[in-house]
Amino acid sequence: MTVGALGWNRFAGVSRPVAVVVLSLLALLMVWGATGGVGRDYVAVAKPTSAQFDGLVGDHALYARIAQRVDAGESYYAAAAAEHRVGDYPLRPFVAVRLPTLAYIVATLGEQKAMIFLLAVGGTAILGWYRRLRTESTLPRYAAVGALFVAANLTQLAAREWLFIHEVAAGILLALALALYRPARPWWTMAIVAAALAIRETVLPVAMLFGTFALIDRDWRAAAGWLAIGLCFAAGLAAHIAALAAVTTPVDAASQGWNGQGGWIAYLSFIQASSLLRFFTGWVGALLVPLALLGWAAWRARLGLVVLLIQFGYAALLMLFARPANFYWAMLVTPTLFIGLAFAPAALTALVRSLARPKRAIPASAI
């Protein structure tokens, strides 16, 4: 195998100690997940007693009802405050109430057209990843199969109830933004990340990461663009806080906080519930998720590093802060996580070869 063929694989030719550490960590995470009880014990889904509306329950019903009231001409914040109170949802602090963007999109387009729009964005993301993986000169041709993993984990787009969950729309946009990301031409990625940020403020770490790389590259125009997005977001968030303060009172319910601290097993459970893995038993995800992360770690490229940092960052957030009812936060990253499985076989092969490589004999002259 030529040097060029190995160039994309970070684990090709690593030393034996490095291979031992990486494979040991991989095995530890797999065993931990397989024996840790991944599944619904860590996920709180809507109950029959939860808020209901037009066949939807829980958060789905809450956000659908708000969108309907906005469509009827009511102010978003008045509608959100009323529906939160009726469903006994918290109104404080401000992050307990979603930004109004998705509600306005659904109210303006209508449910059917909004679903078609999200399907179109999802389809574009799938095609974008296929083209990106197929045309990267350093990657093997089979890497394009990663686009199938994107498609498999966008199945929520075909279900009406997920139209109203903000992480679904933001996750689709992030998948598209990453497929289009090129440091020398970041403008499409910048616009799409800004749109995702307008839907869900938890996209902010991604914008900050891109801005950091722009600074590292000394690309001052791109850095200025990301700074402008940050400033616009701050202004929009300030307006959101002010508008919400106008319709809430000190006696309104407050959130119980975000300190789930469920750790690795909770993270795996959230990924399972938010992806195609929901159709399989928990041990399947316990094996595949670490392999997907290993695959992303293997791709020696700016995009590979960016996605790996995003996956690790949100994994940490989910492990530390997400409560069982927040499992769908994982939908921000599940569309791109399993692309890493396309790189995992080559990563494993390289690590095993490094592990099996015979030790060099010590020359007699060195003794």
Side-chain angles (χ1 to χ4, degrees), residues 255-341:
S255 171
Q256 58 185 289
W258 292 272
N259 57 347
Q261 299 182 28
W264 177 247
I265 304 302
Y267 163 69
L268 291 177
S269 300
F270 299 158
I271 293 294
Q272 181 194 36
S274 304
S275 68
L276 195 66
L277 292 177
R278 63 188 179 277
F279 298 114
F280 300 89
T281 57
W283 64 265
V284 176
L287 300 182
L288 292 183
V289 172
L291 283 174
L293 293 172
L294 177 74
W296 277 117
W299 188 8
R300 186 190 283 116
R302 169 63 65 82
L303 180 57
L305 178 60
V306 165
V307 178
L308 181 67
L309 292 174
I310 289 171
Q311 294 295 339
F312 279 171
Y314 281 100
L317 291 174
L318 290 167
M319 286 189 279
L320 292 173
F321 302 113
R323 302 192 310 270
N326 305 134
F327 72 92
Y328 51 76
W329 289 3
M331 291 179 181
L332 288 171
V333 291
T334 49
T336 52
L337 170 61
F338 294 100
I339 298 172
L341 292 176

Side-chain angles (χ1 to χ4, degrees), residues 13 15 102 150 266 273 283 289 297:
S15 65
L102 184 61
V150 180
W283 64 265
V289 172

Side-chain angles (χ1 to χ4, degrees), residues 57-84:
V57 296
D59 290 1
H60 307 270
L62 170 68
Y63 300 129
R65 178 62 181 151
I66 292 172
Q68 186 197 59
R69 293 178 69 153
V70 171
D71 183 37
E74 194 169 347
S75 161
Y76 170 79
Y77 290 96
E83 291 300 324
H84 274 245

